[in-house]
Amino acid sequence: MATVNGYQGNTPVATSTGSKHPAPTAKTADAQSVLKRLQSELMALMMGGDSGISAFPEEDNIFCWKGTITGSKDTVFEGTEYKLSLSFSNDYPFKPPKVKFETACFHPNVDVFGNICLDILQDKWSSAYDVRTILLSIQSLLGGILLVTSFSFPFPLNASVILMKWAFFIVEPNISSPLNTHAAQLWSNQEEYRKMVEKLYKPPNA
């Protein structure tokens, strides 16, 4: 069953056993730590120079960002541009942000409301990931290509966390449990898929 950002229905819920010892709690970060983390990520993203991705806080709210990705060359999404929203909680980076497409996107793993089914935004999330990783992963998801990325944070949140220096992802659409069944059915025929993308695509500023 496909999942979107948020709770997965079949996840078991822990119950109390009456033990005197409290159950371990999930890691959290206070608002000030999250603020510093996001400021560091913004600076790294601006200095990184990655092609086809960008993101900035919305007005004066560092916890709400607007992102932009462009379709990669030699993919069915080449020449397209998509706007996204990213919303961070006080639990970031121990919990992923809520990410949605603001521009309609015809893709097997994007529904009509812009929700995205991507494992690193759900059960495969790691506190080592950042906004850059998210944007590159979504950009790669559009074309089903290999993503190679690195991680290095100038602001360490937890010295006990071992950060991955390099990570390799083969980001491909999940057509076995899609959010958009029509897109999943067309994915194997890239020529017809491209035609549908062109038909449905509306530039963000149109």
Side-chain angles (χ1 to χ4, degrees):
M1 178 180 67
T3 60
V4 296
N5 294 355
Y7 181 73
Q8 189 172 8
N10 293 329
T11 302
V13 178
T15 58
S16 174
T17 60
S19 171
K20 294 181 180 179
H21 300 286
T25 57
K27 292 181 179 179
T28 59
D30 60 70
Q32 191 62 27
S33 296
V34 179
L35 176 63
K36 291 181 179 179
R37 166 73 176 242
L38 290 174
Q39 288 173 335
S40 295
E41 290 193 22
L42 176 60
M43 183 61 65
L45 189 62
M46 294 173 63
M47 299 293 291
D50 293 290
S51 176
I53 65 168
S54 64
F56 298 93
E58 187 177 7
E59 297 179 350
D60 296 327
N61 189 353
I62 191 72
F63 290 87
C64 294
W65 292 33
K66 292 296 184 184
T68 302
I69 61 172
T70 58
S72 298
K73 186 178 180 181
D74 298 326
T75 72
V76 291
F77 290 94
E78 181 177 359
T80 60
E81 178 181 288
Y82 296 91
K83 299 293 184 182
L84 303 102
S85 63
L86 300 90
S87 178
F88 302 87
S89 71
N90 285 339
D91 291 323
Y92 183 78
F94 302 112
K95 290 185 179 179
K98 305 294 184 183
V99 185
K100 294 180 64 175
F101 273 91
E102 297 296 320
T103 307
C105 180
F106 183 71
H107 190 277
N109 305 129
V110 180
D111 69 16
V112 295
F113 303 105
N115 296 307
I116 307 167
C117 181
L118 180 61
D119 56 2
I120 72 161
L121 294 176
Q122 296 151 25
D123 58 311
K124 300 299 183 182
W125 173 256
S126 166
S127 59
Y129 297 155
D130 58 7
V131 173
R132 175 178 175 269
T133 307
I134 293 169
L135 294 178
L136 287 174
S137 297
I138 295 174
Q139 184 186 49
S140 299
L141 181 69
L142 295 185
I145 60 176
L146 175 67
L147 168 64
V148 181
T149 188
S150 62
F151 304 94
S152 60
F153 296 134
F155 176 68
L157 280 178
N158 189 329
S160 67
V161 175
I162 301 175
L163 300 182
M164 292 178 289
K165 186 63 179 175
W166 291 94
F168 299 82
F169 303 96
I170 299 178
V171 187
E172 295 181 331
N174 178 2
I175 60 175
S176 61
S177 56
L179 295 180
N180 184 327
T181 55
H182 186 196
Q185 291 167 355
L186 277 183
W187 183 255
S188 60
N189 187 334
Q190 293 285 277
E191 182 177 351
E192 291 300 315
Y193 194 97
R194 173 64 184 183
K195 291 178 181 178
M196 185 61 67
V197 169
E198 292 176 342
K199 178 180 179 181
L200 300 178
Y201 175 69
K202 295 181 179 179
N205 297 324

